[in-house]
């Protein structure tokens, strides 16, 4: 790390009441870096609650961990987190699809959901603008409405600080990666009632696949007004332009996952059309977080965000294998427009009833999504997988589908967190009303769906003086199911329920935390299809997920940060109209995952200021198709990091540091996922980046 001010710039602003920003370890003292261990969080409760008293499994990825591991995306940030399979579409930097407990992990920004994401376009958050990530595993509908039963990841953005700081950095890396970024802020006036922060980044990079590249321009200004100790208003904007998102071409299983008499398909192989190859995205958002504390009892909050996203994709993709070497392709065109609005109103009261202490929360939130999608498809020329000849070019295909879907959700929720001596009890309930209108703009028809759902959660924890806290909980979820049945009726939402039991341990006098959680999770009303009658789709499906997760984080002594995790998830399709699916494992869901990471910073002697570390990630095999006729292979990857603070040795270079991060150090070639025999993806090969920073 650099100067003290630079260290402070890594932590959230002190004394600033911000919705869903945990009071983590960086906030315990100005400029104090205590590593990876967070003590409090609010993603599971929407209140600042000690993790020991929260009766569900939570992980917090701090800024210290993000910096030491050099995370450039949410997938890299969550690569060492228990219960999260972040290897999905590992080579597609434009997608943030991850799985938890067998289900896709929902993505949130500052406590409200990132809405939208038809086909190839979905909002994406730049990792450099994130202060930390929170992973909340299991159903979260009781506070957030429609949600995946697997849980959510919440990105907490960088906020204005009440001290002046600045950072500029330049990076170079594999493959032909060039990046520049800045982050600065502080008080505008002497009494520090007005604060600001401005974060930005520009990046360009090639990829391991021919004819593909990435470009991004990102700017995020923010202003905080704090007229007194009771009121705070933070207004944030986000502008992101991605001229080239970096979509990779998928490859067949033969020649990648399996041996082929014609040879091995290289990682650089591109099976699309270089003259019809684009993927762009633009997103803008404006949001605010308001809080006013009337007294020691009553507090009100309001969080608002409006986001607009546009994306356009032109690709040629594999369709059908014609021969051992030839694949028939199709041309794809997809244009998506997203307008999303979220607002969450909260009232919180802290009071006592006899010996019982209460933190009571009531809220009313509203979500509105308007998402238009134009999809074009047409047959394209075949290509030789092992000796591709490109050209003469593919014309844009005709539009075959054009839809506009509008979703409105209103939710009313209440929660009481009761604490008596060492007992902590949480009871929550929520009622949601959802209406979905889907307009077919080609046929000029509209399908309407109106649903209601009640979800609830109950959890209990007992906190011993030693820092040991066993807990149990039950939670329900719901999630709208897109599409209509064969009769034309809209599908009902899927529902989920989870039983979880575990133990958390924060040993007294040691900066460490350990969590062990066992879960049994079931999702009902899953949409399935009959292979004999493809048009027939019905809601008789069920998926069961059960297993356990273990995670440990610690700073054993000054300068040594450690983390380790292990996950076992037995996920099975227990009911399905499709006999090929029943009894099988969903694709992209490994049964076992494990990771370990260590980083040590020297603080004395000739090597003062040198930090070094590394980690190992293991991901088990996953099903290659819904029928489980084949599986990917397990893989073990090694990462490494080296950092040096020049200011620790030369005072005139105070604030200057160099970071070097390498992922997949030994350049292991592996297939990260398959969804069928023609849709497999290589995981990234060795990637490295060196970053020179100056902080003041």
């Amino acid at each position: 790390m650099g100067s003290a001010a630079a260290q402070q710039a890594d932590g959230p602003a002190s004394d600033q009441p911000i919705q869903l920003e945990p009071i983590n370890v960086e906030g315990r003292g100005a400029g104090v870096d205590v590593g990876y261990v967070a003590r409090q969080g609010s993603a599971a409760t929407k209140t600042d609650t000690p993790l020991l008293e929260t009766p569900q499994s939570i992980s917090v990825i701090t800024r210290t961990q993000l910096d030491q591991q050099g995370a450039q995306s949410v997938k890299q940030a969550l690569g060492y987190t228990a219960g999260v399979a972040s290897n999905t579409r590992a080579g597609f930097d434009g997608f943030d699809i991850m799985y938890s407990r067998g289900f896709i992990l929902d993505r949130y920004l500052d406590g409200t959901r990132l809405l939208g994401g038809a086909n190839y376009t979905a909002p994406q958050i730049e990792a450099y603008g994130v202060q930390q990530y929170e992973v909340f595993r299991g159903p979260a509908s009781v506070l957030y409405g429609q949600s995946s039963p697997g849980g959510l990841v919440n990105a907490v953005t960088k906020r204005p600080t009440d001290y002046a700081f600045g950072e500029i950095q330049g990076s170079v890396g594999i493959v032909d990666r060039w990046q520049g970024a800045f982050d600065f802020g502080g008080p505008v006036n002497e009494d520090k009632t007005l604060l600001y922060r401005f974060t930005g980044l520009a990046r360009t990079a090639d990829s391991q696949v021919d004819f593909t590249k990435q470009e991004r321009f990102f700017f995020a200004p923010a202003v905080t007004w704090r007229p007194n100790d009771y009121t705070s208003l933070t207004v944030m904007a986000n502008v992101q332009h991605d001229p080239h998102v970096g979509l990779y071409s998928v490859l067949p299983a033969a020649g990648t996952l399996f041996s082929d008499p014609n040879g091995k398909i290289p990682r650089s192989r591109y099976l699309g059309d270089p003259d019809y190859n684009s993927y762009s995205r633009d997103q803008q958002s404006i949001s605010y977080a308001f809080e006013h504390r009337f007294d020691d009892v009553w507090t009100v909050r309001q969080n608002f965000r409006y986001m607009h996203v546009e994306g356009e994709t032109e690709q040629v993709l594999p369709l059908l294998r014609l021969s051992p070497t030839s694949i028939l392709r199709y041309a794809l065109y997809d244009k998506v427009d997203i307008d999303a609005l979220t607002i969450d109103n909260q009232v919180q009261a802290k009071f006592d009833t006899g010996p019982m202490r209460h933190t009571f929360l009531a809220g009313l939130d509203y979500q509105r999504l308007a998402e238009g999608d134009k999809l074009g498809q047409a047959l394209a020329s075949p290509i030789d997988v092992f000796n591709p000849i490109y050209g003469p070019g593919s014309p844009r295909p005709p539009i075959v589908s054009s839809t506009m879907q509008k979703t409105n959700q209103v939710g009313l929720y209440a929660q009481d967190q009761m604490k008596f001596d060492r007992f902590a009890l949480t009871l929550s309930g929520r009622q949601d009303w959802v209406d979905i209108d889907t307009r077919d703009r080609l046929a000029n028809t509209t399908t309407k769906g109106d649903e209601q759902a009640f979800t609830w959660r109950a959890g209990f924890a007992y906190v011993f003086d030693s820092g040991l806290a066993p807990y149990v909980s039950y939670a329900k979820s719901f999630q709208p199911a897109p599409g209509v049945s064969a009769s034309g009726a809209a599908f009902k939402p899927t529902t989920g329920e989870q039983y979880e039991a575990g133990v958390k341990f924060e040993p007294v006098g040691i900066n460490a935390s350990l969590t062990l959680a066992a879960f049994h999770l079931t999702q009902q009303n899953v949409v399935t299809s009959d292979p004999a009658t493809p048009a027939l789709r019905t809601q008789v499906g069920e998926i069961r997920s059960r297993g356990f997760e273990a995670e440990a984080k610690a700073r054993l002594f000054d300068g040594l940060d450690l983390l380790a995790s292990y996950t076992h998830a037995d996920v099975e399709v227990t009911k399905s109209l499709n006999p090929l699916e029943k009894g099988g494992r969903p694709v992209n869901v490994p049964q076992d995952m494990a990771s370990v990471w260590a980083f040590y910073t020297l603080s004395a002697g000739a090597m003062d200021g040198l930090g070094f570390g590394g980690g190992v990630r293991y991901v088990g095999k996953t099903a290659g198709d819904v029928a489980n006729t084949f599986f990917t292979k397990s893989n073990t990857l090694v990462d490494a990091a080296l950092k040096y603070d020049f200011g620790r040795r030369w005072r005139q270079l105070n604030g200057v540091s160099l970071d070097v991060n390498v992922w997949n150090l030994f350049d292991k070639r592996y297939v990260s996922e398959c969804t069928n025999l023609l849709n497999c993806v290589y995981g990234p090969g060795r990637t490295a980046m060196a970053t020179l920073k100056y902080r003041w």
Side-chain angles (χ1 to χ4, degrees):
M1 303 289 288
S3 64
Q7 295 180 31
Q8 290 177 343
D10 286 341
S14 60
D15 301 324
Q16 186 165 325
I18 297 297
Q19 167 64 12
L20 274 176
E21 183 167 355
I23 303 176
N24 61 31
V25 293
E26 286 88 356
R28 284 194 245 164
V32 177
D33 170 20
V34 286
Y36 302 164
V37 183
R39 303 293 187 187
Q40 288 182 278
S42 55
T45 60
K46 293 190 177 181
T47 61
D48 287 327
T49 302
L51 297 182
L52 281 179
E53 299 175 10
T54 304
Q56 264 183 269
S57 182
I58 305 173
S59 295
V60 178
I61 297 89
T62 66
R63 188 70 241 179
T64 299
Q65 181 180 334
L66 294 173
D67 286 341
Q68 290 182 355
Q69 294 180 340
Q72 298 296 301
S73 67
V74 64
K75 288 185 179 181
Q76 286 187 339
L78 271 55
Y80 286 85
T81 302
V84 178
S86 60
N87 62 311
T88 306
R89 286 293 193 248
F92 288 71
D93 289 334
F95 292 99
D96 287 336
I97 300 175
M98 297 160 290
Y99 285 77
S100 174
R101 299 184 175 179
F103 304 92
I104 291 179
L105 198 65
D106 284 335
R107 297 175 303 117
Y108 281 67
L109 177 64
D110 293 322
T112 56
R113 188 178 180 183
L114 288 171
L115 299 171
N119 291 325
Y120 287 89
T121 297
Q124 187 180 50
I125 303 305
E126 168 55 45
Y128 185 70
V130 174
Q131 179 62 35
Q132 66 183 30
Y133 293 97
E134 301 173 323
V135 177
F136 173 44
R137 289 175 282 271
S141 289
V142 72
L143 290 179
Y144 297 99
Q146 55 177 303
S147 65
S148 165
L152 63 88
V153 53
N154 178 49
V156 180
T157 55
K158 295 177 177 179
R159 303 296 178 90
T161 58
D162 58 4
Y163 49 84
F165 76 95
E167 173 187 276
I168 56 173
Q169 60 174 252
S171 305
V172 60
I174 303 174
V175 181
D176 201 19
R177 182 186 184 104
W178 300 88
Q179 178 175 300
F182 63 85
D183 184 22
F184 55 86
V188 176
N189 50 8
E190 291 185 2
D191 58 5
K192 299 183 180 181
T193 59
L194 192 62
L195 317 173
Y196 81 100
R197 189 161 190 166
F198 191 26
T199 308
L201 173 142
R203 175 171 61 238
T204 180
D206 289 337
S207 75
Q208 69 180 17
V209 178
D210 294 338
F211 310 112
T212 59
K213 65 181 301 184
Q214 305 168 40
E215 282 186 354
R216 169 166 292 175
F217 302 93
F218 162 78
F219 302 98
V223 177
T224 294
W225 178 54
R226 297 190 306 183
N228 50 54
D229 292 337
Y230 302 95
T231 305
S232 172
L233 173 66
T234 299
V235 180
M236 297 160 284
N238 181 301
V239 178
Q240 190 168 296
H241 176 49
D242 299 337
H244 299 281
V245 176
L247 179 65
Y248 287 10
S249 175
V250 295
L251 299 168
T256 56
L257 183 63
F258 307 128
S259 61
D260 189 283
N262 296 286
K264 200 76 173 176
I265 300 174
R267 281 188 296 214
S268 60
R269 182 58 42 85
Y270 176 71
L271 297 183
D273 184 342
D275 294 326
Y276 187 77
N277 174 29
S278 68
Y279 182 15
S280 62
R281 174 177 52 208
D282 287 280
Q283 68 182 47
Q284 308 88 34
S285 70
I286 184 73
S287 60
Y288 67 77
F290 172 77
E291 176 174 299
H292 177 71
R293 180 165 58 90
F294 291 95
D295 48 37
D296 292 338
V297 177
W298 295 100
T299 302
V300 295
R301 304 186 189 95
Q302 186 178 78
N303 300 284
F304 168 89
R305 181 174 66 249
Y306 167 76
M307 176 173 281
H308 177 73
V309 184
E310 295 182 8
E312 189 172 48
T313 306
E314 295 180 330
Q315 292 290 322
V316 174
L317 300 169
L319 177 63
L320 178 67
R321 192 144 199 165
L322 299 176
S323 72
T325 61
S326 179
I327 287 181
L328 180 65
R329 303 175 299 170
Y330 72 97
L332 168 81
Y333 173 75
D334 187 52
K335 182 174 176 57
V336 175
D337 293 277
I338 298 171
D339 287 286
L341 183 148
T342 59
I343 186 167
D344 186 13
N345 306 281
Q346 303 172 22
V347 177
Q348 177 181 293
K350 292 187 176 184
F351 57 92
D352 297 338
T353 55
M356 187 82 70
R357 286 168 287 169
H358 298 260
T359 299
F360 179 78
L361 181 73
L364 175 67
D365 63 23
Y366 172 69
Q367 302 176 28
R368 176 175 174 80
L369 170 65
E371 184 168 16
D373 183 26
K374 292 182 179 179
L375 181 65
Q377 291 180 342
L379 289 177
S381 60
I383 193 169
D384 189 316
V385 177
F386 297 92
N387 185 28
I389 298 175
Y390 304 106
S394 302
R396 177 178 291 181
I399 300 298
V400 297
S401 171
S402 179
T403 60
M404 170 57 73
Q405 185 172 83
K406 295 182 179 180
T407 304
N408 292 277
Q409 175 182 307
V410 176
L412 182 64
Y413 59 90
Q415 173 181 266
D416 193 4
Q417 296 173 265
M418 294 160 278
K419 190 173 181 182
F420 172 71
D421 194 21
R422 298 182 180 90
F423 296 91
L425 175 65
T426 300
L427 297 176
S428 314
R430 178 183 175 110
Q431 178 66 40
D432 278 286
W433 297 266
V434 183
D435 66 80
I436 303 176
D437 292 348
T438 304
R439 180 169 172 254
D440 186 328
R441 294 184 288 198
L442 297 182
N444 197 25
T445 59
T446 301
T447 302
K448 295 182 177 291
D450 298 290
E451 295 294 340
Q452 299 182 27
F454 178 78
T455 52
W456 62 281
R457 175 181 62 181
F460 169 81
Y462 185 87
V463 183
F464 290 92
D465 289 339
S466 63
L468 187 70
Y471 71 91
V472 293
S473 65
Y474 173 83
K476 294 182 69 67
S477 70
F478 87 99
Q479 192 173 26
V484 295
S485 66
S487 64
F491 288 127
K492 294 182 178 180
T494 63
T495 59
E497 62 174 356
Q498 175 184 271
Y499 298 88
E500 180 174 321
V503 60
K504 302 180 182 183
F505 184 42
E506 294 180 0
V508 177
I510 302 176
N511 186 22
S513 68
L514 299 93
T515 301
L516 177 65
F519 59 89
H520 187 286
L521 176 59
T522 306
Q523 185 185 43
Q524 300 93 7
N525 288 343
V526 179
V527 177
T528 66
S529 61
D530 187 343
T533 311
L536 179 61
R537 304 174 73 229
T538 186
Q539 289 187 284
V540 300
E542 180 182 87
I543 299 176
R544 187 218 62 215
S545 174
R546 60 189 179 192
F548 64 92
E549 301 151 347
E551 184 173 79
K553 296 186 176 184
R555 173 163 285 181
L556 297 183
F557 51 87
D558 188 32
L560 177 62
D561 294 303
L562 297 171
L563 64 86
S565 70
Y566 176 73
T567 302
H568 176 78
D570 178 16
V571 186
E572 181 182 339
V573 179
T574 50
K575 295 181 182 179
S576 177
L577 192 65
N578 187 342
L580 297 177
E581 291 182 337
K582 187 176 180 180
R585 188 176 186 84
V587 297
N588 300 329
V589 180
Q591 181 168 285
D592 294 284
M593 297 182 293
S595 65
V596 60
W597 171 275
F599 192 91
Y600 182 60
T601 302
L602 298 169
S603 57
M607 303 305 291
D608 182 19
L610 176 66
F612 55 91
V616 180
R617 295 174 282 134
Y618 169 82
V619 178
K621 65 181 182 179
T622 63
D625 61 0
V626 295
N628 289 191
T629 59
F630 71 100
F631 289 80
T632 66
K633 298 176 182 178
S634 62
N635 60 80
T636 301
L637 305 177
V638 177
D639 306 318
L642 180 69
K643 301 181 185 297
Y644 187 67
D645 184 350
F646 293 93
R648 300 283 284 271
R649 185 172 179 85
W650 298 283
R651 290 187 177 182
Q652 62 270 32
L653 295 179
N654 188 38
V656 178
S657 62
L658 176 67
D659 300 348
V660 179
N661 291 91
V662 185
W663 301 272
N664 192 2
L665 177 66
F666 299 111
D667 198 26
K668 181 180 179 64
R669 184 160 76 169
Y670 67 101
V671 173
S672 66
E673 76 163 280
C674 293
T675 56
N676 57 56
L677 288 171
L678 283 180
N679 194 339
C680 293
V681 179
Y682 274 125
R686 181 192 299 116
T687 56
M689 188 170 72
T691 301
L692 186 64
K693 302 178 183 178
Y694 174 56
R695 294 176 172 175
W696 67 92

